[in-house]
Amino acid sequence: MRFAQTTLRSVGGAAMVGALVLGTATAASADATRNSQWQNKAFTLDATHKIATGKGVIVAVLDDGVDGNHADLTGSVLPGERCNDGRPANQEVLDDHGTGMASLIAGHGHGPGNSQGMLGIAPDAKILPVDIYQDEGGPVGATHQSACTYGEAIRYAVDEGADVINISNGGGYATAEDKQGIADAVAHNVVIVQASGNDGTPTNSDLGSVPGALLVGGSKQNGTRWEDESYSKALMFTAPAKSITVATANGDYLDAGNNTIKGDYLTTDGTSMSAAIASGTFALLKQKFPDYTSGQLVNRVIKSTYIAKGVDKTKLPDAYHGYGDLSPLKALTADIPKGGANGPWKGLSSLPEPDGGSSAPPVGGGAAAASGDSSDNTMLYAGIGGVGALVVIVLVVVLATRKKSNSGGPDGPAGWGGPPAPYQPPYPQPHQQQPYPQQPYQQAPHQAAPYQQPSYQQQPYPQPQPQPQPQPQPQQPPYPNHQQSGPPSY
């Protein structure tokens, strides 16, 4: 899917809607792009990378495809597979979402010393792209068919050696087949991370609510909850969701009017990014603690979270914060007992027995296509704007859907020009995500200077009113104030 408009999409028959908000913008310069990644400064990522970089770890991205030729991802993207037709999923040029998530997880930058462009949380990890959709392209019409279920895609990723599985899509009910996929992942110590959603309403039936997978909410630059995250009693923790820079595929994107705009990077809001940042963190943990179960890795994260000012620690975990906000460096370095194999998960015994067999997604279909199911998957972006733009940007919310035309059917692949599969109404929806409201704003001109890799020092969190800065807390150094020429910081 291109970065442009609100789209109704689903996997395995479950539907939700996530608002995409985009303003026309010029391309960002690469040095401004690196400087705009406020979460890396907040995490003191330079210090974190002295401990782990994700080397030797594979992160599967269940999404649309990934542009493996992007300058910040070259050499880091495995072929993967498109569920629709079995072709490699690492040559994506029509859809952006998977590329954006991959850049947050494993972007290694480019230019002198790789000092420009996207620096992911785990820059030495490998990305395994699994394109779960029937076709590609911009927002034009009605619906978007799934080419395989979550369960099939998870089992394929496990068979291909994934250590972490990122699902920056939301909504729907976890089916028996999905739970089978989770059971197989748990048996292989694979961490499954899903975004909670962007509509600010309860969500309790997602894949991430099943024991063995984890649901991640969104936070702002001061470590508090992003107000449009979907919340759940199953929420495990939060991670940055506000004003996050991502890479685009093919050096362009679509604005709200379906116009092609040149730009290698964008700034956006949403729990899609929260999940990707969390997946990158688990790649670091997998490298440092290779003998840990997925539950034991999750245990390290929830026992090392940052608790923002104003959050009552005695009432955690709760549906809005989980156990607190992600702190990668502390998760890597804190003295935390290994704990039991199941970590914080209760009810793992309710999962089916691991299958253990070959489970590559059927080419040209799968359970979703074979049943004729056609519904919508949520790309969990909420706001998008240009980084380093030199023009005034007005954000526009547009609700739209994508018309699907390149679908395979139950009899095998339809190739690149086969007839569309028949449309079937989506499964019942627990709720509908509402568009993320935006107010028009003016973007200040940015004069990009030659990039110099800084040695970041974290500063206290910005406060709503001027007042003395608080003392650093022991859980994690406070986030810094961050100025950028994208959407305003909150």
Side-chain angles (χ1 to χ4, degrees), residues 56 59 70 98 115 122 136 153 157 165 179 200 209 235 254 344 347 376 404 424 455 468:
V59 181
H70 192 286
S115 62
E136 305 169 282
I165 296 175
K179 292 177 182 179
S209 300
L235 196 75
L254 299 180
D376 305 313
K404 301 301 132 192
Q424 296 291 333
S455 177

Side-chain angles (χ1 to χ4, degrees), residues 3 70 72-73 96 99-100 103 118 245-249 264-266:
F3 290 133
H70 192 286
D72 297 337
L73 291 169
D96 294 304
T99 300
S103 71
M118 289 293 298
T245 299
V246 297
T248 67
D264 293 315
Y265 307 97
L266 293 172

Side-chain angles (χ1 to χ4, degrees), residues 74-169:
T74 53
S76 296
V77 185
L78 303 172
E81 185 168 296
R82 292 182 60 190
C83 291
N84 181 40
D85 54 22
R87 298 185 183 218
N90 65 344
Q91 299 296 318
E92 185 65 72
V93 295
L94 294 177
D95 294 313
D96 294 304
H97 196 272
T99 300
M101 300 307 97
S103 71
L104 282 172
I105 296 167
H108 51 57
H110 65 273
N114 285 336
S115 62
Q116 300 172 337
M118 289 293 298
L119 180 63
I121 301 296
D124 286 335
K126 299 294 185 183
I127 296 294
L128 176 70
V130 184
D131 191 336
I132 55 180
Y133 299 114
Q134 286 279 25
D135 65 347
E136 305 169 282
V140 290
T143 61
H144 187 95
Q145 280 193 328
S146 308
C148 54
T149 65
Y150 278 139
E152 289 172 326
I154 289 170
R155 294 169 66 199
Y156 167 77
V158 171
D159 285 351
E160 291 297 307
D163 301 291
V164 181
I165 296 175
N166 181 77
I167 306 177
S168 289
N169 311 300

Side-chain angles (χ1 to χ4, degrees), residues 39-40 43 45 49 52-53 104-106 119-123 277 280-281 284 328:
Q39 74 276 7
N40 290 356
F43 292 155
L45 204 60
H49 285 166
T53 59
L104 282 172
I105 296 167
L119 180 63
I121 301 296
I277 290 168
T281 299
L284 301 180

